[in-house]
Amino acid sequence: MFGIDLADVLIVRIVADVDGDGLLDIYFVSQLGGNQLWKNAGGGKFQNITAAAGVGLTNRVCVAAAFADIDNDGDPDLFVTTVRMGNVLFENLGNGRFRDISKEAGVDYVGHSSGAVFFDFTGTRTIYGGTAVACTPGLEAELRAFFAQAQALHNQAAS
C-alpha cells in the first residue's frame, strides 16, 4: 500500500497537510525501521519525503505521534513519543520541512511514553505524552477526579 514496506511494525498513522498544498499527507509511526512521512501527490499517489522532511527517527522505538499547530503559524507541527529514547517535537518550517525543537521546548523527556495528545485546556497548547502505567483502583479514582475537574473548568469557561 502506497509502496510502503509494511514488514516493520506500524503502530500509528496520522494525517495532516504538512506542506500547505491542501492535501492530507500521512505520517507512519513504527517501532522498527524508522518513521515515514508520505506526501499526498493527489490522484491516490504518495511520495516518501521522510529524509527531506527530517522526521524519520530511525534510531528510536517510536510509539505515538500527534500533529498540532503549536506556534500559531498555520502549519501542523509534529510530536512523537518513544520508548526510553527521548520524545521529539518537530516544528514545521513550511513546505514539508521540520526541525527538532524538543530540548528548547522542554519536551525531550527520556522514558517510556506511549501516547501523544495535544490538548488546549488552558489556551497554552499543552502537549501530553502519556506513559505506560498500570491502572490501579486508586489511580482510576484520581484520573476520574482529574477529568471531572477538567470538565467542570471547561464548562465554566464555555459559559
Side-chain angles (χ1 to χ4, degrees):
M1 181 172 174
F2 305 118
I4 299 167
D5 182 2
L6 296 178
D8 291 339
V9 179
L10 293 173
I11 300 298
V12 175
R13 292 159 303 279
I14 59 173
V15 298
D17 180 8
V18 300
D19 56 1
D21 64 1
L23 300 172
L24 291 177
D25 309 299
I26 306 172
Y27 187 70
F28 291 91
V29 177
S30 175
Q31 287 189 342
L32 303 170
N35 301 341
Q36 297 181 6
L37 178 59
W38 287 75
K39 173 186 172 37
N40 187 338
K45 298 187 187 301
F46 289 79
Q47 174 188 7
N48 188 340
I49 62 167
T50 308
V55 294
L57 298 176
T58 56
N59 60 340
R60 302 183 193 210
V61 178
C62 298
V63 181
F67 281 115
D69 183 7
I70 63 163
D71 51 6
N72 234 6
D73 64 356
D75 53 26
D77 305 294
L78 175 63
F79 181 64
V80 182
T81 63
T82 71
V83 177
R84 296 179 300 278
M85 296 176 177
N87 296 331
V88 184
L89 178 61
F90 291 106
E91 176 188 17
N92 188 332
L93 302 174
N95 297 321
R97 306 257 193 264
F98 293 80
R99 80 176 177 102
D100 183 348
I101 61 166
S102 311
K103 191 167 191 72
E104 65 190 82
V107 296
D108 57 338
Y109 169 75
V110 176
H112 185 114
S113 295
S114 58
V117 177
F118 283 92
F119 183 66
D120 196 6
F121 181 64
T122 61
T124 59
R125 297 176 188 238
T126 304
I127 300 171
Y128 289 98
T131 57
V133 295
C135 193
T136 63
L139 177 59
E140 182 179 352
E142 287 181 37
L143 289 172
R144 287 184 188 277
F146 170 78
F147 286 112
Q149 181 182 19
Q151 184 64 50
L153 288 172
H154 172 75
N155 293 343
Q156 180 182 8
S159 60

